[in-house]
Amino acid sequence: MVWQQVYNPFGNMVLSTALAAIPVVVMLVSLGLLHVKAHYAAGLGLLSAVVIAVFAFGMPAEMAGKAAFLGGITGLLPIGWIVLNIIFLQQLTEQNGSFKILQDSIAGITEDRRLQLLLIAFAFGAFFEGAAGFGTPVAVTAAILIGLGFSPLAASGLSLIANTAPVAFGALGTPVITLAKVHGYDLMAVTAMIGRQLPFFSLLVPFWLIWAFSGRKGMMEVWPAILVTGLSFAIPQFLVSNYIGPELVDIIAALVSMTSLVLFLRVWRPKTIWTSVSLKGHEKDGGEAGPVALPTKHPRADVIRAWTPWIILTVFVFIWGLPTFKTWLNGIFAPNFPIDGLNNMIEKVAPVVPKPTKEGAVYQLLLLSATGTGILVSAIVGGLVMKYNPIQLIAAYGRTLWLVKFSLLTIMLMLALGTLTRYSGLDTTLGLAFANTGMFYPFFGTLMGWLGVALTGSDTASNVLFGGMQKVAADQLGLSPNLMGAANSSGGVMGKMIDAQSIVVASTATRWFNHEGEILRYVFFHSIALACLVGFYVTLQAYVWPFTLMVVK
């Protein structure tokens, strides 16, 4: 029997919204304020979601259980699979000493910690976002930063802040391509619109990143390098998104940004070298490293060997992200497992969709084409290049699995929570609360995208969740549907830093286990502040700068 979602079960939107928010509040309060361990906080949030979905919103209990199960296995593959294998590669490079050589080589480009952040967290991370997405950039950059000596909170929090502006075009444009495909947007038009929103924030985020790390004075000391980094990313981001398409936006922009910064640092350096590894005002956040020592000069051959595993990783991640290669791998092995009793047994209804629409619930075992598999293959190849034998690789993998076991459990529970809120309609109830804001909708509609990513951990999932609602609300209010569809994705990128799975990825990559609450408390202000700025910008586009709505042909 098909169950139709109910978005206002009590006939009172305030009460229904408050109940729908309980699971998220339980998880965030447990994690951020009560200092409960992440897997317990996620479990409490999931338990409360089951209770609210079944007893308040009328979802059949069996369906609730199956939705949570689907989310759990989705958390294990693809998200947990990425985390496990990137930590495996990091472990291999640390054990043979090549990671120390890599650190010294980066310090050889610049000893200034602020400039290292621009190079690694922002530019290098953007490349991995464009090539793979889904947690890969935070896992890679946080691991590198902790290896460079940054304190755990700095490595975790700053990797999360940096991984914002590129997210809408992550994984070769997957979020915007999905938005257009699922909800009938014109792909080029909505891509161009995002390309007129995010470049401003691509310029702002590097300044924000360094301000968050070293304060206003520390930021102003390196403003020329920040400007070069931001402009050299923002301009290609605008041009590629408006005149080419969504697939290569991040990759081209990141490569231009990295190259521009490295070349600029050959002719410019700050008057003072910033050597602190901790966030300003957080000197006792758990980091043990002190000021950076002068980097050791290594022979060129050793530096090349140290970078080789990461170059291999970059190549494999890029290849694994190519649609044609993914299609080929899926043709070899990609079984589908419809979840009986859930697949096409739930209907979304008005006002979210024009007519009742069934929700599919099929788990695709995309083991071969998963980004994590590409990372695993690159780690094995890199390990062999580093002269590990197969027995040593297997032993190292076993140690890595034991190291991240609770992180994998946490990711599974959090994805179970997010999937249950989707199938039960709890997240849609929260979205409708934003939709009822009238002339202020451009601002709050943007925050709807932020909420979607914060809940699901994915800009793609947020676009699937709220993209149709954005279109309906825009039509009703006389706004541009492309503007609000783009705003959902652009606002969503600022929710990426507080979504639970990203925080767990960051804490795991830095091996700062059981400190997820501290990371959340630190990044929350940055997330909501930047999301509000996106909302104000979209509001200006809607009412003050209508010329930005013109479609570039």
Side-chain angles (χ1 to χ4, degrees), residues 241-281:
S241 62
N242 275 263
Y243 295 99
I244 298 177
E247 292 85 356
L248 297 177
V249 174
D250 284 345
I251 290 175
I252 292 174
L255 290 174
V256 172
S257 183
M258 280 189 286
T259 303
S260 299
L261 179 58
V262 170
L263 292 176
F264 182 69
L265 292 179
R266 289 186 175 183
V267 298
W268 179 91
R269 63 174 54 195
K271 292 181 180 178
T272 59
I273 301 298
W274 190 278
T275 58
S276 174
V277 295
S278 297
L279 297 165
K280 193 173 181 64

Side-chain angles (χ1 to χ4, degrees), residues 203-219:
L203 180 60
L204 174 64
V205 166
F207 282 94
W208 194 289
L209 177 71
I210 304 306
W211 164 72
F213 175 59
S214 60
R216 184 188 63 82
K217 183 179 179 181
M219 177 192 73

